[in-house]
């Protein structure tokens, strides 16, 4: 079966599982390797494991963008890839007839939104939600998209409008360095982390040319001005002025080289973001002139000096806290740079004024050391937050088009992702709340897209269940009671609130809520919210205070009295504001808490999003070391969870995560028809889903459709057959694979059986053939041997005849006396001379039998020993009366043959001469020992004493 997430096998089983998975992967994913899969929904099956593998394969192949249904996943390359963002590529995507057919890219999303606006189909307005954790590349992506729109949304014809559009685009692009300088900081996760959320509205006129833009910011992390986490830095702008100021400016802002500031940690670290000139240039383009700029930087320098104002414990509640040694100087410098009176500043930081009673009498109370620190930090945060908002308003006024000059817009939301730290407070609650809201929006949108696909395929939607995050949202923001309402209530009651008390209130008021929990092991009061991306533990300590974000009215009054032109603008003496910040008696205005303000702006944002066609870009950081070509699966997985992609995958899996085209399905499961008894064939209807899905139209070859239906009816598992695809769940796929394995096993057994039979038969045939060949060869060899013997005998016979005739002739010549005359004719014609009977018979016998005798005597095989002698005697017709008196030796290696001539008188006497057949060279002469065979018989006869 398929291995699911984190399913680790071991040994060969794991290996086998791996190979099966690869096999299935190949089938389900088609032939394409993982890195070539442009869409994660094409990964089959849609599981975390396969999604991760696909993303990893693509990242390692330098492919950084992947579609995930209606979402684009953007992996941070952590290295410059200039060709990926070149103007030529922008033009290519812009000019493409179907940009979706090109490789996934942020330009595809950009172009799609642009075309949607052009098409004027409702909803005309578009929005792109760029999310991801810090350092994942949200700001980079937003910046690239802005550059893209700057290129494509410019008029190619009208020079005048082209110039206007260019000016606007330049301003929009220039707003980036300014906002990043004031709103971004170096954190543990990202050197250029945006500490605020922003929604940029790119405004287009009727001809889809960019005429203006508007920026809305959310939740600036202003606490960073006065408090930086270890190894993190303050906002970039402080380092820019500290490092980039000219000598004369240094004097003016009291920033001597080497000066140390407690709110400026790690100034030694040099980042590319520390470029003061770029910020100044951009500010100038946005219409912030040099004096205003100097004023801003002077105020920021004043805040740095304010940070060096350290208080000591007075030891007496009635006495204001004294300053530490050199803090007096810092207070003086700070007051000077902020246009304040030093004493007034010091008094405001150290003395609290309380108005009470009917006569609104003013009481003055010295603050404790901690209170003094808090008031100092609050002053800095107040100034910085106002400055940031003012900058945003300046940017907006510089880039915003007149309301009647634009009709449509494309919104870019660069929003922080889901956050979970060991200690989470109000900031994380707001961020995660925003993410829950956006996730709900996304899920609704995604489900709609999925529903559409099912509808196209003719499937019903109702069976898809998914995890709705509405209960979690109800817990956070619902009415009448929710976490937000309880925290706000604590602020409104204006009573001293303890962390434990808040925890108890939350627990008792929201008891039974499914998404609420508590970490009972933690010594600190806390509550846990089970967000869609995972549980997060929030500390209740400080929650109410942060929510109140109290600004002592003395501080505002102090700043309103500043002589600094910038601070005068930032803190105008507004009577309305005054009444808000100085609530008193029964006419107290409703307290605007951080949560309520955030909720209101979030509602507003979502309203905007609801009125647009949303597009999603999920930025993923492949590793936390910001290294190229390194992919940490666990880190990526947690981000996929946080950005909701896992939820998307789950939704996908809740329906039918596995979708296989009819052809592929038939190819793989055709053999399952064997499972079905032949008799049942053709009895079932076309689709096994109880008629829930429609019959596939006759768009495919009849054979394919017929096969498909046969297979579907042979299966025990329920399948949903769409118009072009077969939809199934993981468990169905598992069943199919089991059945397929079973059939394959049967087939394998058949093949094995057939093979063994074939092998046995072949072996038997071979054995028979070998025996036949052996027999044939042997008989051939035997025949050949006999033929040779026969040929040899013929040769011997012939030679012997010739020799005998010659010998007879010679013998007749040698015969003495009377006989010589007769015999002299004998060689010429032996038969013509009338020889005596005995002589004639002997000669005949010799003539007839000697070759045989000689052959027998020399034969290597045949008769042996005494038999041989007898045979020789018989052949020679020798008397055998006393065989013992005759010694006959025969051997093939006889030294030679002597000539034998019989005496005519009939006595058994032989005249021997050297035979012409003897081996003259090898044997020197007949010795009694070396002479064997017939010659030996002759020798025996000649031996003295022999008869
Ligand atoms: P975020 O806004 O999500 O916190 P940033 O957009 O600031 O993250 O990106 C962090 C860093 O990652 C950038 O400073 C840049 O160095 C790198 N980066 C992000 N996206 C890309 C990209 N597409 N190509 C090259 N570098 C990138
Ligand atoms: Mg950013």
């Amino acid at each position: 079966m398929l291995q699911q997430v984190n399913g680790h096998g071991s040994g060969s089983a794991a290996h086998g599982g791996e190979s099966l998975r690869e096999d299935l992967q190949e089938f389900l994913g088609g032939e394409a390797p993982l890195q070539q899969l442009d869409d994660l929904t094409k990964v089959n099956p849609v599981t975390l494991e396969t999604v991760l593998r696909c993303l990893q394969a693509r990242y390692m192949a330098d492919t950084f963008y992947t579609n995930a249904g209606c979402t684009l996943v953007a992996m941070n390359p952590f290295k410059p890839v200039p060709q990926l963002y070149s103007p030529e590529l922008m033009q290519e995507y812009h000019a493409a007839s179907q940009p979706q057919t090109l490789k996934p890219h942020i330009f595809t999303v950009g172009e799609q939104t642009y075309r949607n606006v052009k098409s004027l189909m409702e909803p005309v307005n578009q929005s792109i939600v760029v999310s991801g954790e810090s350092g994942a590349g949200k700001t980079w992506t937003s910046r690239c998209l802005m550059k893209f729109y700057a290129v494509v949304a410019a008029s190619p014809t009208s020079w005048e409008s082209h110039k206007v559009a260019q000016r606007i685009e330049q301003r929009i692009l220039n707003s980036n360095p300014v906002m990043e300088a004031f709103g971004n900081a170096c954190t543990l996760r990202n050197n250029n982390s945006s500490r605020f959320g922003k929604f940029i509205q790119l405004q287009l006129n009727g001809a889809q040319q960019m005429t203006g833009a508007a920026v809305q910011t959310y939740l600036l992390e202003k606490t960073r001005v006065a408090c930086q986490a270890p190894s993190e830095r303050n906002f970039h702008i402080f380092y820019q002025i500290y490092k980039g100021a000219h000598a004369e400016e240094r004097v003016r802002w009291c920033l001597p080289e080497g000066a140390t500031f407690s709110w400026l940690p790690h100034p030694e670290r040099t980042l590319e973001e520390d470029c003061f000139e770029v910020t100044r240039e951009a500010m100038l383009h946005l219409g912030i002139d040099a004096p205003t700029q100097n004023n801003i930087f002077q105020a920021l320098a004043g805040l740095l000096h304010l940070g060096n104002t350290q208080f000591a414990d007075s030891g007496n509640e009635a006495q204001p806290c004294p300053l530490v040694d050199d803090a007096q100087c810092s207070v003086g410098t700070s007051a000077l740079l902020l246009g304040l009176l030093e004493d007034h500043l010091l008094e405001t930081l150290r003395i609290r004024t309380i108005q009470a009673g009917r006569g609104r009498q003013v009481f003055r109370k010295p603050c404790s050391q901690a209170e003094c620190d808090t008031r100092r930090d609050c002053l800095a945060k107040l100034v910085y937050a106002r400055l940031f908002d003012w900058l945003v308003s300046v940017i907006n006024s510089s880039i915003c088009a007149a309301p009647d000059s634009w009709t449509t817009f494309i919104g870019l939301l660069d929003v922080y992702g889901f956050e979970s730290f060991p200690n989470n407070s109000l900031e994380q609650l707001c961020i995660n709340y925003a993410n829950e809201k956006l996730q709900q929006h996304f899920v609704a949108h995604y489900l709609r897209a999925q529903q559409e696909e099912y509808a196209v395929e003719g499937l019903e939607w109702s069976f898809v269940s998914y995890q709705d995050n509405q209960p979690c949202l109800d817990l956070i923001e619902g009415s009448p009671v929710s976490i937000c309402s309880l925290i706000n209530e604590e602020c409104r009651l204006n009573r001293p609130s303890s962390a434990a008390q808040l925890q108890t209130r939350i627990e008792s008021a929201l008891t039974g809520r499914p998404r609420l929990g508590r970490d009972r092991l933690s010594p600190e009061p806390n509550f846990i919210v089970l967000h869609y991306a995972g549980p997060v533990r929030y500390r209740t300590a400080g929650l109410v205070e942060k929510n109140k974000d109290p600004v002592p009215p003395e501080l505002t009054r102090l700043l309103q009295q500043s002589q600094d032109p910038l601070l005068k603008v930032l803190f105008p003496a507004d009577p309305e504001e005054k009444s808000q910040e100085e609530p008193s008696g029964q006419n107290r205005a409703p307290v605007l808490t951080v949560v309520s303000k955030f909720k209101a702006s979030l509602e507003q944002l979502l309203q905007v999003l609801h009125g647009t066609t949303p597009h999603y870009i999920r930025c993923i950081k492949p590793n936390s070391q910001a290294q190229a070509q390194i992919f940490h699966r666990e880190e990526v997985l947690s981000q996929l969870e946080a950005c909701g992609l896992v939820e998307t995958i789950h939704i996908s899996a809740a329906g039918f995560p596995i979708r296989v085209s009819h052809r592929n399905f038939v190819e793989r499961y055709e053999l399952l028809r064997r499972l079905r008894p032949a008799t049942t064939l053709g009895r079932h209807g076309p689709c096994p889903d109880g008629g829930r899905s429609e019959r596939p139209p006759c768009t495919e070859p009849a054979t394919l459709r017929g096969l498909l239906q046969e297979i579907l009816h042979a299966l025990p598992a329920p399948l949903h057959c769409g118009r072009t695809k077969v939809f199934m769940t993981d468990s169905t796929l598992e069943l199919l694979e089991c059945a397929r394995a079973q059939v394959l096993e049967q087939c394998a057994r058949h093949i094995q059986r057939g093979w063994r039979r074939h092998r046995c038969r072949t072996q038997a045939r071979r054995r028979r053939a070998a025996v036949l060949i052996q027999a044939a060869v042997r008989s051939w060899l035997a025949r050949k041997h006999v033929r040779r013997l026969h040929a040899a005998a013929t040769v011997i016979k012939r030679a012997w005849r010739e020799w005998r005739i010659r010998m007879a002739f010679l013998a007749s010549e040698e015969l003495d006396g009377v006989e010589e005359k007769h015999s002299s004719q004998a060689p010429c014609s032996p038969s013509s001379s009338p020889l005596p009977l005995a002589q004639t018979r002997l000669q005949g016998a010799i003539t007839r039998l000697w070759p045989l005798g000689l052959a027998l005597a020399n034969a290597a095989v045949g008769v042996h020993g005494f038999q041989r002698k007898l045979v020789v005697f018989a052949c020679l017709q020798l008397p055998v009366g006393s065989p013992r008196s005759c010694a006959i030796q025969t051997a093939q290696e006889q030294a030679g043959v002597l000539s034998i001539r019989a005496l005519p008188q009939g006595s058994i006497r032989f005249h021997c001469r050297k035979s012409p057949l003897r081996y003259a060279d090898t044997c020197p002469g007949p010795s009694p020992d070396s002479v064997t065979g017939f010659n030996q018989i002759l020798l025996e006869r000649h031996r003295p004493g022999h008869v």
Side-chain angles (χ1 to χ4, degrees):
M1 63 170 277
L2 293 181
Q3 287 204 354
Q4 295 294 327
V5 193
N6 303 330
H8 299 292
S10 63
S12 63
H15 198 74
E18 186 69 23
S19 71
L20 173 62
R21 199 165 45 185
E22 274 165 20
D23 179 31
L24 270 177
Q25 186 63 53
E26 200 179 299
F27 154 62
L28 295 169
E31 294 296 309
L34 276 177
Q35 68 270 21
Q36 285 175 20
L37 284 176
D38 281 348
D39 197 330
L40 291 177
T41 57
K42 285 187 195 153
V43 174
N44 234 332
V46 187
T47 63
L48 280 177
E49 173 69 14
T50 49
V51 164
L52 267 180
R53 279 175 54 189
C54 180
L55 283 177
Q56 184 169 15
R58 287 177 72 80
Y59 183 69
M60 297 325 265
D62 275 0
T63 315
F64 303 109
Y65 296 110
T66 311
N67 290 325
C70 61
T71 308
L72 178 78
V73 178
M75 303 289 294
N76 189 339
F78 282 125
K79 63 179 177 186
V81 199
Q83 72 278 8
L84 210 53
Y85 308 101
S86 65
E88 294 76 31
L89 200 71
M90 290 181 190
Q91 283 300 346
E92 193 184 320
Y93 276 83
H94 184 48
S97 56
Q98 283 185 311
Q100 299 86 347
T101 55
L102 299 176
K103 286 182 182 167
H105 201 291
I106 48 170
F107 296 159
T108 320
V109 183
E111 184 58 27
Q112 187 60 53
T113 52
Y114 192 63
R115 287 186 191 194
N116 286 357
V117 169
K118 257 186 168 173
S119 73
L120 295 178
M121 285 226 318
E122 282 298 331
V124 181
N125 294 328
Q126 308 288 310
S127 57
I128 303 176
V129 181
V130 187
S131 61
E133 82 164 42
S134 185
K138 302 182 291 293
T139 306
W140 180 288
T141 302
S142 308
R143 216 185 294 154
C144 285
L145 278 170
M146 278 195 254
K147 283 184 187 159
F148 177 78
Y149 290 121
V151 170
V152 303
S155 167
T157 49
S158 160
W159 173 246
E160 191 54 38
S161 83
H162 185 69
K163 285 300 273 181
V164 172
Q166 254 193 350
R167 200 183 66 237
I168 294 293
E169 288 147 21
Q170 200 51 48
R171 284 188 181 174
I172 292 169
L173 294 181
N174 277 326
S175 70
N176 270 332
V178 178
M179 300 223 349
E180 288 184 16
F182 284 83
N184 288 20
C186 172
T187 64
L188 284 174
R189 296 186 175 184
N190 181 5
N191 285 351
N192 187 31
S193 176
S194 312
R195 309 313 304 162
F196 65 104
K198 70 172 179 251
F199 181 71
I200 302 172
Q201 192 185 47
L202 303 171
Q203 298 156 344
L204 306 173
N205 63 11
Q208 290 79 48
Q209 288 152 16
M210 211 191 297
T211 54
V215 181
Q216 190 182 346
T217 57
Y218 301 93
L219 213 67
L220 174 77
E221 191 194 43
K222 58 186 178 188
T223 46
R224 186 171 287 270
V225 179
C227 178
Q228 305 81 32
S231 303
E232 294 201 352
R233 296 203 326 176
N234 208 327
F235 292 103
H236 292 324
I237 190 65
F238 289 107
Y239 297 87
Q240 290 183 0
I241 56 171
Y242 177 75
K243 292 179 182 181
H246 304 309
E248 183 257 324
E249 290 167 339
R250 283 187 180 285
V251 174
R252 210 179 326 138
W253 302 335
C254 306
L255 292 176
E257 295 252 17
T260 53
F261 295 97
S262 55
W263 286 352
L264 203 69
H266 312 290
E268 70 290 346
R269 283 174 72 176
T270 307
L271 303 178
E272 59 177 288
E273 286 78 16
D274 294 345
C275 195
F276 194 29
E277 282 313 309
V278 173
T279 309
R280 282 180 147 180
E281 191 86 357
M283 287 173 92
L284 210 57
H285 281 116
L286 289 171
I288 305 172
D289 56 16
T292 316
Q293 286 185 28
N294 287 335
N295 204 169
I296 293 170
F297 303 137
Q298 181 184 316
L300 292 177
L303 293 188
L304 283 182
H305 284 282
L306 184 68
N308 282 0
T309 307
Q310 307 287 339
F311 296 93
D313 192 1
S314 67
N316 181 357
E317 276 189 17
Q319 290 299 316
C321 293
L323 291 165
V324 294
D325 297 341
D326 50 354
Q328 190 67 49
C329 174
S330 300
V331 177
T333 316
S334 179
L336 180 75
L337 293 170
L338 292 170
L340 303 169
L341 294 172
E342 183 183 339
D343 292 344
H344 194 184
L345 172 63
L346 205 53
E347 188 184 308
T348 311
L349 293 179
R350 293 194 294 185
I351 313 279
R352 185 151 45 110
T353 53
I354 306 160
Q355 283 188 335
R358 285 180 175 256
R360 309 218 19 97
Q361 289 165 302
V362 177
F363 298 93
R364 291 160 52 83
K365 185 175 184 303
C367 299
S368 67
Q369 186 194 355
E371 281 173 336
C372 290
D373 287 346
T374 309
R375 288 166 82 86
R376 178 200 58 205
D377 294 354
C378 185
L379 183 72
K381 286 191 280 184
L382 185 63
V383 172
Y384 197 81
R386 287 275 175 104
L387 176 61
F388 187 78
D389 288 345
W390 177 80
L391 272 173
V392 173
S393 70
V394 168
I395 290 171
N396 274 334
S397 63
S398 135
I399 60 175
C400 202
D404 58 346
S405 68
W406 61 276
T407 50
T408 50
F409 71 85
I410 297 171
L412 284 176
L413 181 64
D414 175 352
V415 72
Y416 16 55
F418 178 83
E419 282 186 353
S420 176
F421 300 113
N423 287 321
N424 300 290
S425 191
L426 192 74
E427 294 84 0
Q428 282 69 44
L429 184 65
C430 288
I431 288 170
N432 294 340
Y433 167 43
N435 275 279
E436 285 284 356
K437 277 279 202 200
L438 290 170
Q439 173 67 6
Q440 196 190 40
H441 181 254
F442 166 71
V443 168
H445 179 73
Y446 178 78
L447 290 183
R448 206 181 308 136
Q450 209 184 35
Q451 190 174 10
E452 274 163 19
E453 193 198 345
Y454 285 180
V456 166
E457 284 287 335
L459 266 75
E460 276 202 359
W461 164 247
S462 55
F463 44 78
V464 177
S465 61
Y466 65 95
Q467 188 194 330
D468 188 1
N469 64 344
Q470 190 56 48
C472 189
L473 278 170
D474 288 344
L475 175 70
I476 299 172
E477 59 156 18
S479 68
V481 197
S482 63
I483 293 172
C484 287
S485 74
L486 288 172
I487 300 172
N488 282 341
E489 202 174 287
E490 283 294 317
C491 298
R492 259 197 302 276
L493 289 172
N494 207 15
R495 65 178 183 193
S497 153
S498 78
Q501 201 181 347
L502 180 62
Q503 178 193 283
T504 320
R505 276 208 77 192
I506 289 175
E507 269 184 354
S508 58
L510 300 170
T511 184
R513 298 288 182 105
R515 317 294 287 176
L516 184 73
R518 178 156 75 95
D519 183 2
R520 290 176 195 283
L521 297 176
S522 169
E524 290 174 317
N526 66 80
F527 62 92
I528 293 175
V529 178
L530 301 171
H531 290 285
Y532 73 90
V536 180
R537 185 171 61 92
Y538 298 97
R539 283 169 56 190
T540 51
L543 217 57
V544 175
E545 280 304 297
K546 278 189 178 175
N547 191 31
K548 262 193 223 167
D549 192 20
V551 179
E554 306 96 290
L555 293 186
T556 319
R557 271 200 300 271
L558 170 77
L559 291 166
Q560 281 169 345
Q561 289 163 19
S562 165
Q563 296 307 305
D564 184 75
L566 178 70
L567 291 188
K568 275 178 186 272
V569 174
L570 296 183
F571 296 93
D574 186 350
E576 269 180 45
E577 196 173 332
K578 202 174 172 186
S579 71
Q580 240 188 39
E581 285 176 358
E582 292 180 66
S584 63
Q586 281 95 40
N587 300 331
R588 193 179 289 161
V591 178
L592 271 180
T593 61
V594 170
V595 165
S596 56
K597 276 192 266 183
F598 185 71
K599 198 175 159 193
S601 62
L602 197 59
E603 293 291 346
Q604 200 189 341
L605 173 71
L606 277 155
Q607 231 170 8
V608 172
L609 289 183
H610 280 307
T612 62
T613 305
H615 304 261
Y616 297 90
I617 298 178
R618 308 297 201 187
C619 297
I620 302 286
K621 198 161 71 165
N623 61 76
S624 46
Q625 296 86 43
Q627 298 282 315
Q629 288 287 304
I630 293 180
F631 188 95
H632 286 158
R633 289 167 64 91
E634 288 75 24
E635 286 177 29
V636 173
L637 181 63
S638 72
Q639 289 172 68
L640 291 180
E641 271 171 6
C643 74
L645 216 66
V646 170
E647 182 65 5
T648 310
I649 293 163
H650 284 152
I651 293 168
S652 193
F656 299 107
I658 297 157
R659 299 122 198 247
V660 190
S661 71
H662 287 175
R663 181 168 302 282
N664 279 358
F665 185 84
V666 167
E667 270 172 20
R668 188 166 178 91
Y669 297 115
E670 194 183 345
L671 45 78
L672 294 189
R673 288 183 304 153
R674 289 162 181 259
L675 289 174
R676 186 183 177 197
T679 49
T680 62
L681 275 172
R683 261 201 247 148
H684 299 263
C687 280
D689 56 354
R692 274 181 291 169
S693 64
E694 290 176 26
R695 192 190 269 252
C698 302
T699 49
E700 298 185 34
T703 47
L704 181 64
R705 219 176 48 248
L707 278 172
L708 179 68
Q709 285 175 8
E710 265 189 52
I711 298 165
L712 292 177
H713 290 300
L715 299 176
L719 281 180
H720 296 261
C721 183
R723 288 198 169 92
T724 59
K725 293 175 191 167
V726 174
F727 291 76
M728 55 184 140
T729 57
D730 276 337
S731 57
T732 313
L733 178 74
E734 212 174 289
L735 274 173
L736 286 183
E737 282 302 310
C738 278
R740 187 172 176 269
Q742 201 183 323
V743 174
L744 283 176
E745 203 177 293
Q746 271 175 16
C747 293
R749 277 207 210 101
H750 279 306
I751 293 168
Q752 279 175 354
R753 211 180 299 147
W755 167 249
R756 286 198 189 111
R757 190 169 53 231
H758 166 76
R759 203 175 50 184
C760 286
R761 280 181 182 165
T762 312
Q763 275 177 357
R765 262 204 310 275
R766 279 190 188 152
R767 205 173 290 127
R768 271 203 307 277
V771 170
L772 271 175
I773 292 166
Q774 280 175 359
V777 169
R778 283 197 190 116
S779 80
W780 176 76
L781 284 174
R783 274 201 300 277
K784 190 175 154 195
H785 185 64
V786 168
R787 266 200 304 274
R788 282 180 64 196
L789 284 179
H790 192 260
T794 309
V795 168
I796 293 166
K797 221 157 76 182
R798 196 185 307 126
W800 166 247
R801 275 193 197 124
E802 286 170 11
W803 179 80
R804 185 179 58 80
I805 291 167
R806 198 161 61 246
M807 285 305 111
F809 173 72
L810 290 174
S812 66
E813 265 189 349
E814 284 176 17
L815 286 177
D816 34 315
V818 186
E819 296 299 321
E820 203 165 55
K821 285 175 188 169
H822 296 286
S823 62
S824 64
Q825 295 169 355
C828 305
S829 172
S831 59
S832 63
S833 65
L835 289 173
L837 186 62
Q839 190 183 349
T840 311
R841 207 184 288 154
L842 179 62
Q843 273 190 351
I846 289 167
T847 307
R848 267 196 321 274
L849 299 173
W850 272 38
L852 182 60
L854 197 61
L856 282 171
N858 285 287
V861 293
V863 288
H864 300 277
F866 184 67
Q867 275 182 336
R868 182 180 290 218
K869 286 176 188 174
L870 283 179
V871 170
V872 172
F873 272 78
C875 291
L876 298 175
Q877 294 203 339
L878 298 175
V880 291
S882 55
R884 260 183 249 123
S885 60
C886 304
I888 296 174
Q889 273 190 334
T890 57
Q892 284 178 316
E893 56 277 352
Q894 277 177 347
V897 177
L898 299 179
S899 64
I900 303 166
R901 290 191 302 266
L903 293 176
Q905 291 86 355
S907 62
I908 304 171
R909 287 184 66 192
F910 293 88
H911 180 82
C912 299
R913 283 193 69 184
K914 220 175 217 180
S915 167
L917 298 178
R918 87 188 165 98
Y919 302 108
D921 298 335
T922 51
C923 302
S927 75
D929 295 333
S930 62
V931 175
T932 55
F934 187 70
N935 290 338
Q936 193 165 359
I937 298 168
L938 300 179
L939 283 175
E940 292 285 337
R941 299 243 169 193
H942 281 276
R943 222 174 260 159
H946 193 275
V947 182

